[in-house]
Amino acid sequence: MSARPLTARLTLTKASIAKVKGVIDLGSPETPKRRRYRVLRIPKSVVEKYLLARGGPVEIKAPPKPEKSKQKVLNVPRSEDELARQLATIAKERGADAQKTLDKIAKRARLLKFVPEHLWSEMVWIGPEDDDGI
């Protein structure tokens, strides 16, 4: 009889990994009417120890983090009335200077309607601050 090398086959299941010390189980339990929803958080160090104990040195690289989008999500009011109330509240709280600033913003917004959107970033507002001609 010739000796064949033994090859260990490693079978992993969520249940077996969940029992490893250091693994965090964030799932919900199973009920008679609902299936179990299992979420496992497995720290890198736990994976390395587990694999090292069963097969040799392993190097795990974390995937690159996605770049955050530069656009901010604004909390836009649902209606014009709500927006008008918010602007009125700001103007009332901050006084006459805030009212002038709101008027200036409104005039500039009216002008921007006639400029293509791709050129908005190139717009430079020149003129006296309290100019009524804008």
Side-chain angles (χ1 to χ4, degrees):
M1 294 185 112
S2 64
R4 289 190 327 178
L6 295 174
T7 56
R9 185 163 243 175
L10 184 62
T11 304
L12 297 175
T13 62
K14 282 187 180 183
S16 66
I17 292 177
K19 294 175 186 175
V20 175
K21 185 178 178 183
V23 173
I24 304 163
D25 190 353
L26 298 173
S28 61
E30 188 168 322
T31 64
K33 293 185 179 184
R34 283 185 60 185
R35 289 182 64 144
R36 178 181 180 131
Y37 181 71
R38 186 170 233 175
V39 177
L40 299 176
R41 297 290 183 237
I42 308 170
K44 181 180 169 183
S45 60
V46 172
V47 173
E48 288 173 345
K49 286 179 189 176
Y50 184 84
L51 292 175
L52 219 135
R54 285 163 179 74
V58 177
E59 183 180 329
I60 299 174
K61 294 181 182 177
K65 292 184 180 181
E67 292 182 21
K68 292 184 179 180
S69 65
K70 296 184 180 186
Q71 293 180 342
K72 287 187 176 180
V73 178
L74 299 175
N75 187 10
V76 179
R78 292 184 218 21
S79 68
E80 288 179 27
D81 295 337
E82 204 172 328
L83 179 59
R85 283 187 214 106
Q86 285 183 356
L87 290 173
T89 303
I90 292 169
K92 191 174 183 180
E93 288 173 355
R94 307 225 175 135
D97 289 337
Q99 184 61 46
K100 288 179 184 177
T101 303
L102 289 175
D103 292 339
K104 189 185 335 177
I105 291 170
K107 289 176 188 175
R108 289 178 178 179
R110 277 187 227 112
L111 284 174
L112 283 175
K113 289 191 307 185
F114 303 106
V115 178
E117 191 171 341
H118 69 278
L119 296 175
W120 287 1
S121 62
E122 298 175 19
M123 292 293 296
V124 178
W125 302 100
I126 301 173
E129 292 299 316
D130 57 341
D131 184 25
D132 291 328
I134 292 181

